[in-house]
Amino acid sequence: MAKKLRVLLIRPKYTSLVANLEPLGLEYLAGLAKELGIKCRIHDEFQYPWTFRFRRMCEIIDKGGYNFIGFNANANTVDYINKRAKQLKEKYPHLFIMVGGPEAELNYTEFCKKAVDLVYHDNGLSTLKNIWTQGLATEVFDRQTGICYKRNGRWVIKKKGAPVDCFINKPDRTAFYKGLKKNYIFMKGKYALSKASFSCPFRCSFCYCTKMNSGKYTERDIMEVVDEVEEIRHDKIWFVDDTFFFDADRVRLFCNEILRRGIKKTFMAYSRADFLAANPEILPLAYKAGFRDILVGLEAINDDQLTDYHKQTTRYENITAIKNLHDNNIVCDGLFVISHTATREDFRSLMRFVRENNLLWVVFGIFTPYRGTDAYDRYKDQVVNFRSWRLDGTHITLKPTHMTSFEFMMRYYWIHVLTYPKIMVRTFFGTGYDTKRKGWF
Ligand code: SF4
């Protein structure tokens, strides 16, 4: 059965000016297919123009004779995937269409549609391995965990399996190496991705990531992660773990092993402000091992807002974290979430905070109550224009309470005008990573 499958994995494109990244999730599926001897290709729409998307998809299917389609779903691609699934099913009635990815893991019922054959919401890929090896049959599905499928025309929803703490196979990074030319992170260059843990032990109200892996935080064996880093044929690696700097001993182990093996790569990772504020002694070692960027979910600049987000950090910790990073020549990429309750003064204070703390690299998102988060439960009755393509943190989905939506968006764009040119100028002059420098050059 496995030999007959021809799998096409599709990553739908969405608007993103700040990054075009490796399709790591699909590469794990491609790696599994490779291991099982199944012909598989990743069609990463980010590598192609916006035009003729459906035609291109059909041409690839025709040329490769694919009979199994796997869509990777994010919150902002739900409508697109359901639309494409319908079109594909009309054109190729015998095609088997599966939807997986973060949105399917959390909100699987969104894809329980006529044109879709299977929604994959399990933790890990063991169920997929079973399906690919045992066949696309109802009796096989009946024995699995974490999928939705149709039996006699009715959707059956199987419970998720246990949380996972490792991958069952390596990713096939062919798509990354092939797409390297177009890979970028705004002003930072090209990064390979790696994931060393699953989910997050914290519970910020707006956060999607903490709900993954059935809400259970687990870590991969750190030596296995070092092996992976060593194998990747690229010198810049971004750990997309929700918080890589969580266990100081584990971070130390990682850094020491990188140094011991003489691996010379540059790393970027997420950390929380409270960790960075409480563990400054780890940062010189992190720098030595190659960490140059730490993305910190600062989210807000006052304690009330941080409490409202259930962030469990304080303004003081945010400031200390930035200072500790800067003192160790590591860039703090400050991530902020702008609440729909922001006042004019809040926008001004945010800019003051950025200036006073010498934050150069910043990302501003608009508070979005994504389906599946605690924030959604709280705000689901108040959402406006909640169409999937708008769910990307750059659109208003809750009416601003202190100004019109138009003014809110103008202010949102304005804070980018105030911050992004400086990033560009400093990068141009080669001083973007000089954490002590204050000016434009
Ligand atoms: S925002 Fe960050 S710290 Fe908070 S739950 Fe999400 S991943 Fe964890």
Side-chain angles (χ1 to χ4, degrees):
M1 172 66 208
K3 290 270 184 291
K4 287 187 206 143
L5 275 179
R6 287 170 167 253
V7 175
L8 180 66
L9 303 170
I10 301 175
R11 177 164 73 153
K13 184 173 168 127
Y14 51 84
T15 312
S16 172
L17 297 177
V18 289
N20 179 0
L21 299 172
E22 175 180 8
L24 183 64
L26 292 183
E27 287 175 349
Y28 272 102
L29 270 71
L32 177 62
K34 197 174 180 178
E35 233 181 67
L36 299 175
I38 297 170
K39 175 178 165 150
C40 177
R41 170 179 170 174
I42 292 178
H43 172 45
D44 183 2
E45 287 200 324
F46 278 85
Q47 305 299 331
Y48 298 91
W50 285 97
T51 46
F52 306 118
R53 292 166 78 185
F54 184 62
R55 196 159 94 189
R56 189 174 301 113
M57 214 177 266
C58 294
E59 279 167 10
I60 293 171
I61 293 170
D62 291 337
K63 207 164 152 217
Y66 295 103
N67 52 19
F68 185 108
I69 304 291
F71 279 106
N72 180 61
N74 285 312
N76 55 350
T77 54
V78 175
D79 292 345
Y80 176 79
I81 288 173
N82 283 329
K83 180 177 132 193
R84 281 289 179 260
K86 188 167 177 281
Q87 287 172 313
L88 285 175
K89 209 54 167 202
E90 278 164 10
K91 191 166 157 97
Y92 307 97
H94 302 301
L95 212 53
F96 188 93
I97 299 181
M98 176 182 90
V99 183
E103 183 68 10
E105 184 172 337
L106 225 57
N107 301 308
Y108 41 85
T109 52
E110 294 192 308
F111 303 100
C112 293
K113 308 278 180 200
K114 203 169 155 212
V116 174
D117 297 291
L118 189 133
V119 187
Y120 196 92
H121 65 99
D122 210 12
N123 303 314
L125 294 182
S126 297
T127 291
L128 186 64
K129 186 174 183 179
N130 294 342
I131 291 171
W132 277 354
T133 48
Q134 295 168 30
L136 309 176
T138 314
E139 54 279 16
V140 173
F141 301 156
D142 286 344
R143 296 194 294 268
Q144 309 307 321
T145 54
I147 52 171
C148 311
Y149 59 100
K150 281 173 265 187
R151 195 196 295 133
N152 303 325
R154 295 182 72 112
W155 280 96
V156 177
I157 296 173
K158 298 295 295 263
K159 270 202 197 134
K160 284 182 203 297
V164 295
D165 61 3
C166 64
F167 291 109
I168 59 168
N169 57 273
K170 290 183 178 181
D172 175 357
R173 295 189 187 261
T174 311
F176 168 66
Y177 297 127
K178 232 172 95 186
L180 201 53
K181 246 202 237 153
K182 293 195 176 164
N183 177 298
Y184 74 91
I185 297 176
F186 179 71
M187 293 286 131
K188 287 193 187 292
K190 302 172 189 306
Y191 277 77
L193 307 185
S194 174
K195 189 167 168 62
S197 63
F198 304 88
S199 194
C200 174
F202 297 91
R203 291 286 174 266
C204 305
S205 64
F206 54 81
C207 184
Y208 204 77
C209 313
T210 180
K211 303 286 180 179
M212 298 294 162
N213 204 31
S214 299
K216 183 156 190 322
Y217 175 69
T218 56
E219 294 169 345
R220 279 174 73 193
D221 180 286
I222 200 67
M223 289 306 148
E224 203 182 274
V225 178
V226 180
D227 293 343
E228 182 184 333
V229 162
E230 204 168 18
E231 276 172 26
I232 296 175
R233 301 196 307 274
H234 194 67
D235 59 348
K236 287 182 164 184
I237 294 170
W238 178 7
F239 289 106
V240 289
D241 306 51
D242 300 317
T243 174
F244 185 87
F245 283 67
F246 171 63
D247 174 349
D249 290 339
R250 187 168 178 262
V251 176
R252 229 173 261 122
L253 257 178
F254 174 83
C255 294
N256 284 326
E257 187 63 11
I258 290 287
L259 293 169
R260 195 189 67 76
R261 295 195 198 179
I263 298 172
K264 301 247 174 307
K265 301 203 179 191
T266 303
F267 303 114
M268 172 155 80
Y270 288 96
S271 176
R272 283 173 53 92
D274 48 358
F275 179 93
L276 297 166
N279 296 281
E281 75 292 341
I282 209 162
L283 297 175
L285 176 65
Y287 181 86
K288 225 166 133 196
F291 284 93
R292 294 293 178 272
D293 280 271
I294 301 291
L295 299 127
V296 190
L298 300 170
E299 326 297 8
I301 58 165
N302 66 65
D303 291 343
D304 287 347
Q305 189 62 66
L306 287 165
T307 306
D308 191 59
Y309 287 159
H310 204 246
K311 187 72 199 180
Q312 294 174 267
T313 54
T314 60
R315 175 187 168 94
Y316 177 73
E317 283 170 323
N318 279 353
I319 292 171
T320 313
I322 300 167
K323 184 176 178 311
N324 289 347
L325 286 172
H326 285 179
D327 287 350
N328 286 285
N329 302 310
I330 300 176
V331 156
C332 175
D333 299 275
L335 315 176
F336 293 95
V337 174
I338 305 189
S339 167
H340 63 295
T341 60
T343 61
R344 293 178 183 119
E345 182 50 30
D346 287 335
F347 276 95
R348 284 192 286 269
S349 306
L350 177 56
M351 285 303 93
R352 243 188 334 265
F353 182 92
V354 167
R355 259 194 318 276
E356 283 169 8
N357 291 285
N358 196 22
L359 267 180
L360 177 66
W361 299 88
V362 282
V363 178
F364 304 111
I366 297 175
F367 177 75
T368 306
Y370 291 99
R371 264 192 203 94
T373 64
D374 297 344
Y376 184 74
D377 295 337
R378 179 173 167 190
Y379 289 111
K380 61 177 181 290
D381 299 329
Q382 297 169 41
V383 293
V384 289
N385 279 333
F386 209 64
R387 276 165 294 155
S388 88
W389 66 270
R390 302 182 82 252
L391 306 183
D392 59 359
T394 64
H395 292 87
I396 288 176
T397 52
L398 285 169
K399 225 175 152 5
T401 49
H402 289 101
M403 59 192 87
T404 62
S405 296
F406 178 78
E407 183 179 348
F408 187 95
M409 285 313 290
M410 286 301 112
R411 288 183 181 275
Y412 177 67
Y413 294 139
W414 184 239
I415 55 176
H416 287 88
V417 172
L418 292 177
T419 48
Y420 276 51
K422 192 168 171 187
I423 299 176
M424 292 193 255
V425 173
R426 286 277 293 269
T427 305
F428 182 76
F429 281 93
T431 58
Y433 279 73
D434 183 343
T435 57
K436 313 278 171 21
R437 197 177 281 260
K438 289 209 158 102
W440 274 73
F441 307 98

